[in-house]
Amino acid sequence: MAGTCGTAAAQGFVYPVGAPGARPTDVLPNANGYRITQGFMNAVHHAGVDLAVHGQPGGEVRAIGPGTVVNKLTGYGAGWGNAVLIKHDLYDGVFYSLYGHMEDNSVTVKIGHPVNAGQAIGKVGNTGFSEGAHLHFAVLLRNDFGCVYLDPDGKCRRCSIRPPN
């Protein structure tokens, strides 16, 4: 992945909410149980996807793959409310997954701790700049060109948000 744009196609990765092996869609019912309530717009206005079930809080949020927790935000946390940033090292590069708007006091991981694919890290909530319970989920890639968000089609989008080194 270093120096190129693309999606992290690695065995063992799971979806962050709902059924671990089923992709959320924009309608319910679906095999995942969560729907995409707002998709990727651009790196400034909405750089990620929002996943919800009828606006209900409390669903389990899990790490999409093995990695290390590198940041944990509380309160408004840059608008994401209670959020976690996980660094994933792949054989050919590094990417980060971001989980935002989690319930107060639900985050179960600490900075510096390793996580496994599917490990619970918190609960779906309504914290930060949020209008209803959902998970804001995003994937960031750091390469030779700087930080980029990856949209759902795997296309690169530059952004001003940079994960830690």
Side-chain angles (χ1 to χ4, degrees), residues 16-17 24 34-37 49-53 124 133-137:
V17 290
Y34 276 73
R35 75 180 188 98
I36 300 167
T37 59
V49 296
D50 290 345
L51 303 165
V53 176
V124 172
H134 69 280
L135 174 70
H136 176 85
F137 174 73

Side-chain angles (χ1 to χ4, degrees), residues 73-146:
L73 304 170
T74 57
Y76 279 95
W80 296 308
N82 300 317
V84 170
L85 184 68
I86 298 174
K87 179 181 180 183
H88 305 275
D89 291 303
L90 300 177
Y91 71 93
D92 62 347
V94 172
F95 77 95
Y96 297 81
S97 55
L98 173 71
Y99 312 79
H101 304 305
M102 289 190 279
E103 277 187 346
D104 284 332
N105 304 312
S106 75
V107 176
T108 59
V109 294
K110 296 181 179 177
I111 295 173
H113 285 189
V115 294
N116 296 312
Q119 178 179 332
I121 62 171
K123 300 277 185 187
V124 172
N126 187 23
T127 60
F129 302 139
S130 171
E131 296 179 11
H134 69 280
L135 174 70
H136 176 85
F137 174 73
V139 172
L140 303 104
L141 174 69
R142 184 155 192 157
N143 61 19
D144 295 341
F145 305 106

Side-chain angles (χ1 to χ4, degrees), residues 9 11 19 21 26 33 40 49 52 55 61 93 110 117 131 133 138 145 152 160:
Q11 259 188 336
D26 60 354
F40 184 95
V49 296
V61 176
K110 296 181 179 177
E131 296 179 11
F145 305 106
S160 61

